[in-house]
Amino acid sequence: MAKKKSLSQQINVMRASVMGANDGILSVAGIVIGVAGATSNNFAIFISGISGMLAGTVSMAMGEFVSVNTQKDSQRNAISIQKKALANSYDHEYNTVKNKLVTDGISPDLAEQATKEMMTQDPIKTTVRQKYGFNVGQYTNPLSAAIASMISFPTGSILPLVAITMFPSSIRIFATFLAVVIALAITGYTAARLGNASPAHGVFRNVISGVLTMIVTYTIGTLIGS
């Protein structure tokens, strides 16, 4: 029977999906607006957008796969180190956990009792959680993160690509700009909520970075086109 994904694993996959869509929106918007600033040729704009979508999809998927695998290797290495530490100096590790609980605001007597119970039940899980901040066995699947990015990046890319090619040439830059700003506000809010961060700050940073990206690429494209 397959193991059910933990909440942290699900959130990490959701994070990869949201950030993949966000990068798809921003990357392809920058490309197509930049090209639109240089030329009015719809085919050239469309091909540049498709090329950016394909390249970004592969890059995001491979990047997530490598990144999550690296994190997973680091966690496994930490567990290996902790097993040796417990074998060589159990008392020191015991006191480290107890002192950490006291530092977190638990009374010394209660910290002693809690440490004794946790260390008796599972010293590896206890010390790894307290010292390194992750739970043993709860790893994000690299393939799941890669697939999430591989799907979400082109999904996000569709918005600026459709906007720049479907709207009339007289308003397509403005329409794409507006559509991208709205989409980035949504992904910024979602990413902030998943990360327990301030939604207002997340939206502001995301929108500002998108606006600056589009302004820069459009300016460069206009200069090249002229």
Side-chain angles (χ1 to χ4, degrees):
M1 182 181 294
K3 291 183 178 179
K4 186 177 180 181
K5 289 182 179 179
S6 68
L7 179 60
S8 61
Q9 289 174 303
Q10 293 175 356
I11 290 176
N12 277 328
V13 172
M14 290 171 64
R15 173 200 56 79
S17 299
V18 172
M19 296 313 297
N22 187 80
D23 287 348
I25 295 166
L26 187 56
S27 299
V28 174
I31 291 171
V32 295
I33 286 182
V35 175
T39 179
S40 59
N41 188 314
N42 276 340
F43 183 73
I45 296 171
F46 181 76
I47 288 298
S48 67
I50 289 293
S51 298
M53 176 193 294
L54 294 175
T57 298
V58 175
S59 176
M60 280 292 297
M62 292 300 99
E64 279 292 334
F65 186 80
V66 171
S67 175
V68 174
N69 263 311
T70 300
Q71 178 183 355
K72 196 172 180 180
D73 290 342
S74 297
Q75 291 175 335
R76 286 175 172 169
N77 184 57
I79 292 170
S80 177
I81 292 173
Q82 200 54 40
K83 286 180 179 178
K84 294 178 182 178
L86 284 167
N88 296 329
S89 183
Y90 181 89
D91 289 344
H92 174 75
E93 298 303 314
Y94 184 99
N95 289 328
T96 298
V97 173
K98 184 178 70 173
N99 293 336
K100 175 69 164 53
L101 295 178
V102 172
T103 300
D104 290 341
I106 299 176
S107 67
D109 290 342
L110 186 57
E112 174 69 33
Q113 180 183 349
T115 302
K116 184 176 181 180
E117 291 178 1
M118 290 189 296
M119 292 292 282
T120 300
Q121 184 177 6
D122 196 323
I124 289 292
K125 287 186 177 180
T126 299
T127 53
V128 166
R129 182 173 59 248
Q130 294 297 325
K131 293 179 69 174
Y132 298 99
F134 69 90
N135 294 319
V136 175
Q138 294 186 2
Y139 310 116
T140 302
N141 188 324
L143 187 58
S144 296
I147 292 174
S149 293
M150 188 170 63
I151 294 172
S152 61
F153 187 95
T155 301
S157 302
I158 291 172
L159 174 67
L161 189 58
V162 169
I164 202 73
T165 55
M166 297 301 293
F167 280 102
S169 57
S170 59
I171 63 168
R172 65 184 175 190
I173 299 295
F174 174 76
T176 302
F177 187 93
L178 183 60
V180 168
V181 166
I182 293 172
L184 290 177
I186 294 172
T187 56
Y189 176 84
T190 305
R193 294 294 293 177
L194 287 174
N196 294 320
S198 167
H201 291 166
V203 170
F204 179 77
R205 286 193 298 264
N206 217 32
V207 170
I208 290 299
S209 65
V211 169
L212 290 176
T213 297
M214 289 185 287
I215 289 175
V216 169
T217 56
Y218 180 71
T219 301
I220 292 174
T222 302
L223 292 173
I224 293 174
S226 62

